[in-house]
Amino acid sequence: MAAEKIKNMEDFARVCGISRPTVSKYFNDPASVRKSTRAQIEAALDRYEYQPNIYAVNQNRRQTKNIGLVVPNLIDPFFAAIARTIESLIIDAGYNPLLLSSHGGPDQEIANLNSLRAIKPAGVLLAPLGRASNADMLSAFSKEIPTVLFDNNLDDVGEAFFGSDSEQSIGVIVDYLCETGEPPVFFEMKTPVNPNAYKRRSAYLSAMARRGEEPNLIQVAGEGWDFEEIGFREGSKMIAQRDLPTNTVLCSNDRLAIGLLSAAYEGGIQVGRGGDSALRIAGHDDHPFSRYTSPSLTTVSQDYSAISARSVDAILGLIETEERKGDREIALFKGHLVKRGSA
């Protein structure tokens, strides 16, 4: 191999004796140039130490092979797990996933989208923060670059949304709790950052009304994504007061429930399904840690395999057809009851 180090595509085109646009065309698609030209370029690749910058190449393509994947917080094992699933599906389809975390902050969410905009991805799969998101800026981004939302929905953002059917999933666990013991109260943050929480609140009220039961919302203070801390802190206050109208608590999400389980333990309250237990606690999501709490957490699992597959299929369809749909697609998937020791 020659000692000369080729620094960029211009240098490589010069030593090939071929124009820069033709060299770029080859790296985009080797079959797009004449056989003799392809042979000349490949001979030069054998002689010189040169590897094109994939991002520089992509920026000169009408359609790149990169798909952005943005999630609210990768520290949360829940989002880490779904991100791994989606990444695998993207790779299997022959694309390059570019995974970014918004770290629970709207400024970082916009910074992530700006970074993706700069490298011209073929499309983006976005799980938005929700209430904290700058919906106008997300909408503007989705008009420039094909975008599909998953997990959290924001009206009029992206070409499609795929998520869980809160009415069905909350209904399933309310029915189970009512049929196996006292009807549940609903433990939630008063001003949740995640828009799914509002849907779950509404679904709880509907499910209790359907059963002819009196609903009871326990709305606690707390902001942001530190759900376990909020569940523990506010749950400790609730347990200390010992004035619950029922011995059954349904939490808006598993992370709040994990905090509440810890508060019950600290408060000397036995949680479980047995007759000697003073409290039943259930959650929603089937968070990766929910099976390892003590007792293990009864919950509803979201069908993230189906949500991931439909999201990736949708973005690939937009990329391959290069057509925007007239109507925004929305599909919701049913949850499945997971019975464990806590309720």
Side-chain angles (χ1 to χ4, degrees), residues 15-76:
V15 297
C16 283
I18 296 173
S19 70
R20 164 66 166 77
T22 300
V23 170
S24 178
K25 187 177 180 182
Y26 167 85
F27 284 120
N28 286 335
D29 180 8
S32 66
V33 301
R34 289 184 300 177
K35 185 176 180 179
S36 59
T37 301
R38 187 163 67 248
Q40 189 173 346
I41 292 172
E42 289 171 354
L45 285 172
D46 287 339
R47 290 197 306 271
Y48 298 96
E49 187 178 346
Y50 175 63
Q51 177 66 42
N53 183 324
I54 186 65
Y55 293 112
V57 170
N58 280 341
Q59 286 185 21
N60 289 300
R61 297 178 63 180
R62 184 170 58 89
Q63 183 186 99
T64 77
K65 298 294 286 184
N66 298 322
I67 294 178
L69 173 56
V70 183
V71 297
N73 202 326
L74 273 175
I75 294 176
D76 186 334

Side-chain angles (χ1 to χ4, degrees), residues 19 82 146 196 236 247 313:
S19 70
I82 189 171
N196 287 332
S236 296
N247 71 353
D313 284 347

Side-chain angles (χ1 to χ4, degrees), residues 31-275:
S32 66
V33 301
R34 289 184 300 177
K35 185 176 180 179
S36 59
T37 301
R38 187 163 67 248
Q40 189 173 346
I41 292 172
E42 289 171 354
L45 285 172
D46 287 339
R47 290 197 306 271
Y48 298 96
E49 187 178 346
Y50 175 63
Q51 177 66 42
N53 183 324
I54 186 65
Y55 293 112
V57 170
N58 280 341
Q59 286 185 21
N60 289 300
R61 297 178 63 180
R62 184 170 58 89
Q63 183 186 99
T64 77
K65 298 294 286 184
N66 298 322
I67 294 178
L69 173 56
V70 183
V71 297
N73 202 326
L74 273 175
I75 294 176
D76 186 334
F78 185 77
F79 286 109
I82 189 171
R84 285 196 299 271
T85 300
I86 291 177
E87 276 189 312
S88 295
L89 292 170
I90 291 172
I91 292 169
D92 289 346
Y95 286 79
N96 310 308
L98 303 175
L99 176 59
L100 299 170
S101 170
S102 298
H103 303 300
D107 291 342
Q108 185 60 50
E109 184 172 67
I110 296 303
N112 288 338
L113 297 183
N114 286 336
S115 295
L116 289 171
R117 182 187 279 114
I119 60 173
K120 301 178 182 177
V124 170
L125 290 165
L126 169 65
L129 294 171
R131 187 170 62 88
S133 294
N134 186 322
D136 289 341
M137 294 188 74
L138 266 61
S139 179
F141 175 87
S142 69
K143 288 179 171 60
E144 295 178 37
I145 295 171
T147 303
V148 168
L149 268 57
F150 66 98
D151 187 65
N152 288 333
N153 192 20
L154 293 177
D155 292 340
D156 302 322
V157 175
E159 300 298 308
F161 166 73
F162 302 102
S164 295
D165 185 343
S166 295
E167 285 287 334
Q168 179 271 338
S169 60
I170 290 291
V172 163
I173 198 161
V174 166
D175 285 344
Y176 167 74
L177 294 173
C178 288
E179 291 164 7
T180 56
E182 296 181 12
V185 298
F186 193 68
F187 184 79
E188 62 167 350
M189 294 161 61
K190 186 175 182 179
T191 55
V193 66
N194 191 320
N196 287 332
Y198 294 100
K199 295 181 177 68
R200 294 174 187 179
R201 176 190 300 169
S202 175
Y204 165 78
L205 295 173
S206 296
M208 293 291 279
R210 171 173 53 79
R211 296 189 61 90
E213 301 286 356
E214 186 69 27
N216 195 312
L217 300 176
I218 298 178
Q219 298 180 319
V220 301
E223 296 287 340
W225 291 79
D226 295 326
F227 301 128
E228 293 89 354
E229 178 185 345
I230 294 166
F232 177 78
R233 182 186 68 235
E234 300 302 322
S236 296
K237 296 176 185 176
M238 180 182 72
I239 288 170
Q241 293 168 1
R242 297 182 186 272
D243 61 353
L244 281 172
T246 175
N247 71 353
T248 306
V249 181
L250 172 59
C251 297
S252 180
N253 63 61
D254 283 353
R255 292 181 60 191
L256 282 174
I258 289 169
L260 180 57
L261 281 170
S262 181
Y265 177 82
E266 292 290 328
I269 303 297
Q270 184 167 337
V271 177
R273 295 195 284 181

Side-chain angles (χ1 to χ4, degrees), residues 4 78 238 240 300 302 312:
E4 183 179 356
F78 185 77
M238 180 182 72
V300 178
Q302 299 189 54
V312 173

